[in-house]
Amino acid sequence: MIGQLPLDLPHRPSDAEEDFLAAPSNEQALALLRLWPDWPHKLLLLVGPEGAGKSHLGAIWARRAGARVVTASCLEIEALPELASAPALLVEDADRPPLREKELFHLINLAMERGVFLLVTARKNPDAWGLATKDLLSRLRRAPAVAIEQPDEAFLRVILGKLFHDRQIKVEPSLIDYLALRLERSFEAAQHIVSALDREGLARGRAVTRALAAELLAASPGLAAADDEDAAETDANDDDH
C-alpha cells in the first residue's frame, strides 16, 4: 500500500489578541506591550527563543499602535526615511542573518529623531548577535528590553494543545501528557515534534498516537528532556489501534 505524500503546507495560526497564550513566561512582555504608548522609552527590545510568540505579540502591538512591520534582513537604506515616517514601527528578527547593521542603526536614529515608537524583536540579547558596529551595539544595550522565557511543564501542555489545534489534528489528552513529560521544555521542541507527528501521520496514513510519538522521540533524542529517566519506560502500544 502506497502511503500518502505529505505536503509541507504553511500553517498560519491566528495572531488575534484573544488567541495569544498568556502565561508566567510571557506575562511581563505582554504587560509592557499593552502599556503602550506609556513606554519608558520609544525603543523597546522583545527577546525570546524560536517559537516563543514574539511575532504574535508584535502583531498585537502593531495593530494597537498602527505600526508598519518589516523584517530586519529586508531593510534597505533608501527605504528608511519612508519607514520612519510612520507613527510606529515593528522590526522583526533583528538578529537573524544577514545582519543589516548599517540599515538598522540608521533606522533607529531616524526613529528616535522623529519620535517614532520602535519595537525590535530578536532571539537573543544584542551582545550575542555578533555585531561589528559598536555604536549600534551601544544603542541597543541602552534600550529597555523584555524577555519571553522558556515554558514550564504546565504551559508546555497548553502550547502542544494549541499547535495540534492549529494543524487541525485531534489527539488524546494522554498524548499531550506523554509529550509534556518527555520533551525538552522549549517552544522549538514543541513545534518540531508536532510538525514531525503531522508529517509522519500523513505519510503513513495513520492517526497521531502515543506510539507514533514514542517512535519519533526515540529517533530524535535531542528533543527529550534532560531528566527523562523516570519517563523512559512506556507502553508504546496501548493506544496504537
Side-chain angles (χ1 to χ4, degrees), residues 100-176:
R100 301 288 188 181
E101 297 188 33
K102 178 181 177 182
E103 291 82 358
L104 182 58
F105 181 58
H106 284 296
L107 180 60
I108 291 174
N109 286 338
L110 270 175
M112 297 305 97
E113 288 172 7
R114 298 179 181 184
V116 175
F117 285 98
L118 181 57
L119 176 63
V120 178
T121 71
R123 292 165 298 171
K124 298 179 180 180
N125 288 316
D127 286 288
W129 297 8
L131 294 171
T133 307
K134 293 182 179 180
D135 287 342
L136 173 59
L137 179 57
S138 177
R139 170 78 81 166
L140 292 170
R141 280 174 171 170
R142 293 197 303 270
V146 63
I148 301 176
E149 306 297 337
Q150 293 287 14
D152 58 16
E153 185 182 310
F155 190 37
L156 186 59
R157 283 183 167 86
V158 177
I159 293 166
L160 287 165
K162 184 177 188 300
L163 290 172
F164 281 122
H165 180 267
D166 288 343
R167 290 174 176 263
Q168 299 181 341
I169 303 172
K170 293 183 179 180
V171 298
E172 295 295 329
S174 60
L175 173 59
I176 302 289

Side-chain angles (χ1 to χ4, degrees), residues 204 206-212 215 235-241:
R204 302 182 191 191
R206 59 182 282 193
V208 173
T209 64
R210 203 171 76 176
L212 181 58
E215 182 181 336
D235 182 2
N237 298 313
D238 62 359
D239 67 346
D240 189 21
H241 301 296

Side-chain angles (χ1 to χ4, degrees), residues 50 71-74 92-100 123 128-130:
E50 195 77 30
T71 302
S73 61
C74 296
E92 296 194 291
D93 299 324
D95 61 341
R96 192 179 297 278
L99 298 179
R100 301 288 188 181
R123 292 165 298 171
W129 297 8

Side-chain angles (χ1 to χ4, degrees), residues 1 7 13 25 29 46 51 53 62-63 78 108 112 137 173 190 193 197 205 207 212 239:
M1 181 176 179
L7 301 177
S25 60
L46 174 60
R63 283 192 295 270
E78 57 271 18
I108 291 174
M112 297 305 97
L137 179 57
I193 194 64
L197 285 167
L212 181 58
D239 67 346

